[in-house]
Structures are given as C-alpha cells and as structure tokens.
Amino acid sequence: MRSRLHLDFVRPRAPRTALGAGLLAVGVFAAVATLVEYRMLAAESVQLEARIADTQRMARRELPRLRQTSLDPKALADEVRNANTVLAQLTIPWGALFGEIEAAGDRSIALLSIQPDAGARALRITGEGKRFEDVLAYIGRLEARPALANVFLASHELRQGGAQRPVAFALVAQWVDEDGKGATGNGKDGNGKPE
C-alpha cells in the first residue's frame, strides 16, 4: 500500500513571548512619539511662516515711509534733532551734579526737587531754608562749585512760622562741562555769544 503524503504549507504559529510584546509596545510608542513631534513641528512651521509673512507685509508698508524720510532733508533734520534731544537727556552728568549740589548743602537747607533742562544745560532747584540768609548763603556755595555757574534766585516765599520764618525758594543754575566749556556747553557763553 502506498502511503499518502500529507503536506502542510502553513507553519504552526509560534507562541507569543514577552520579548515580542515588549518590542511591539516600544515600536507603537516610538510611532506615537514621532507623530506628536511631527505635529508640533508642523504647527511651529505654520507660526513661523505667518510671522515671516507679517514681517514682509510690515516691511512693504514701512519702506515707502523710510524712503521718503531718507530723501526728505527736513524730515531727516527733525529726526536728528529728536535723537539729539534724547541723547542730551541720557547724558546728563547726574553723579557730578548731585555731588556738587550735595557738597554745597547744609542742615539749614532742605531740597524738594531738582529738574534738569538738558537743552539749556540748566537746573531748577526748589527747596526750603530756615532763614532767608541761609538761602543766600546756599546760593553762594552753589556758585562756588566748579560744575555750576550762573546760580540765581528765581523766586522765594516767606512761610508762616514762629521766631524763625522758613523760606521756600526756587533757584536756577547752569552746569559747566567737565572739559571746561561754558555754562551752556554749546560753545557759547551764557548770553548766547560765541566763547
């Protein structure tokens, strides 16, 4: 008798192992992480493209104004004047000025405010003195300081008090450059004439 040959082309399934399940889990996790990262990068790319478009739009809108300003001498002169005003305010020699004002003070004078005018290189100082004579002595001490010139009493008012009548005052002074230029610091004397 002949024996029958039975062929089975389907392999028997291998049992699932823990290693296989672990590798499957790692693969799924890596795929999900890659997808999340891709979406984040895509969103960031969209935001950056929007910023670039906004910047290009703003540049196209501002370019004619900038061209006009650069070609218009009057507008350019105004821009330079404004920049110089800001620069003058930023370069006020506060340390030296406060040092000079502090060195001239004493217990009979109380300062209330110091207001600079960088364009005129002038200071307005307000305060109170115990007596009018104290205010006059303070003016003399300020005038003697090397960084201050043309100190004068702009206003004063006698306050109500006891035996001593306090005096409210306002002084105006000009500061002198460190390099010894005039009180206005612009190559002119205090009267606006060339030095």
Side-chain angles (χ1 to χ4, degrees), residues 32-43:
V32 169
T34 303
L35 180 65
V36 168
E37 184 69 22
Y38 173 77
R39 287 193 178 197
M40 287 175 33
L41 289 175

Side-chain angles (χ1 to χ4, degrees), residues 162-174:
Q164 294 182 342
R165 296 183 67 188
V167 179
F169 64 87
L171 306 176
V172 177
Q174 292 182 318

Side-chain angles (χ1 to χ4, degrees), residues 116 155 157:
S155 66
E157 176 186 344

Side-chain angles (χ1 to χ4, degrees), residues 8 11 13 24 29 40 48 54 59 78-79 89 101 105 115-116 142 145 149 165 171-173 179 182:
D8 186 8
R11 274 187 172 169
R13 278 193 167 169
L24 178 64
F29 177 76
M40 287 175 33
L48 290 175
D54 287 345
D78 288 342
E79 292 284 332
Q89 290 289 340
I101 293 168
Q115 300 169 324
L142 284 174
R145 303 306 305 174
R165 296 183 67 188
L171 306 176
V172 177
D179 58 3

